[in-house]
Amino acid sequence: MADASSQHGRLQRRPVPGGQQITTFRQVLLRHGGAMAAIVLACFFLTNSNLLLQSGFAKLSNSPFFYLVALPGLFSLFIGYLLLRHRTIDSRTTIWILYLLLISILEEIAFRLLLPLAILSSTGLIVSIIISNSVFATIHFFTLRWKLVNCIGAFLGGLGLSRLFYVTEDLALIILVHWFFTFLNTPSPPRDLTTQK
């Protein structure tokens, strides 16, 4: 996720003449969150999603204690990190951190579970993973206007998450890992999380 206020110029490409930087939560939500939600919905029609979700979240269903501890644990870690960096902790910060969790859930369901398996029979495992993570990185290029180098990083990070999912078969764990690194990448919310200016 791109934090266009505090990360201005670090993740985003410069706007074209007459164009805009992505500086508000509404822009992030509509452009990126909306795109990810649409892809998840499309994938539900392409796969036997109920069975895949049951399989992906089986470890969460069977042994929820770890995740019930890890979720607030990570949230507390994020707050501690921000306090150490002398950032303001308010409702904007809380909403942003929870949004990063939501987008991590959507992206992992789409790009580590449903999309690769939807195209698996046509391409094989390795190619399906490469295609899925290429789409994952490309979406960040267009919806959040990330620089190419950041999109390459997203692609490589996605490959790592795909490998971890292949080894663990634990989508809930992958979501937590994704949430952790997404927060480190963009820890601060856009400048007007609650209002469009």
Side-chain angles (χ1 to χ4, degrees):
M1 295 299 306
D3 171 4
S5 58
S6 65
Q7 312 295 339
H8 183 78
R10 183 174 74 85
L11 294 179
Q12 283 191 10
R13 292 172 282 137
R14 291 185 179 277
V16 296
Q20 293 182 330
Q21 288 292 120
I22 298 169
T23 59
T24 68
F25 179 68
R26 182 176 297 182
Q27 289 174 311
V28 172
L29 180 63
L30 292 178
R31 291 170 62 95
H32 188 66
M36 293 304 176
I39 290 172
V40 170
L41 287 176
C43 287
F44 273 110
F45 291 104
L46 296 173
T47 62
N48 191 343
S49 55
N50 288 335
L51 287 177
L52 293 175
L53 289 172
Q54 288 175 15
S55 175
F57 289 107
K59 292 186 178 179
L60 170 62
S61 299
N62 295 332
S63 303
F65 180 76
F66 167 78
Y67 309 93
L68 293 175
V69 172
L71 196 66
L74 277 177
F75 185 86
S76 299
L77 181 66
F78 298 159
I79 296 299
Y81 173 87
L82 292 172
L83 288 172
L84 286 173
R85 295 178 64 86
H86 307 290
R87 303 286 179 84
T88 301
I89 307 299
D90 53 16
S91 60
R92 296 173 68 250
T93 303
T94 301
I95 293 169
W96 180 248
I97 293 173
L98 293 177
Y99 175 74
L100 295 182
L101 173 60
L102 173 62
I103 205 67
S104 298
I105 292 170
L106 291 176
E107 290 180 346
E108 289 311 307
I109 288 174
F111 298 105
R112 253 54 75 184
L113 181 67
L114 298 183
L115 184 58
L117 293 176
I119 59 180
L120 177 63
S121 60
S122 302
T123 62
L125 179 62
I126 300 299
V127 175
S128 70
I129 289 173
I130 291 173
I131 291 173
S132 179
N133 284 293
S134 296
V135 174
F136 171 67
T138 302
I139 286 174
H140 289 81
F141 185 82
F142 290 105
T143 62
L144 295 177
R145 294 188 51 80
W146 275 12
K147 298 175 182 177
L148 180 60
V149 65
N150 299 106
C151 294
I152 293 172
F155 171 74
L156 295 175
L159 290 179
L161 290 170
S162 295
R163 172 63 179 171
L164 185 60
F165 180 52
Y166 179 78
V167 170
T168 65
E169 298 182 343
D170 185 354
L171 193 64
L173 174 64
I174 308 309
I175 288 169
L176 292 176
V177 173
H178 188 146
W179 188 32
F180 175 78
F181 284 106
T182 299
F183 171 81
L184 289 184
N185 197 37
T186 53
S188 298
R191 58 180 167 81
D192 67 331
L193 189 53
T194 56
T195 60
Q196 179 75 28
K197 296 182 179 178

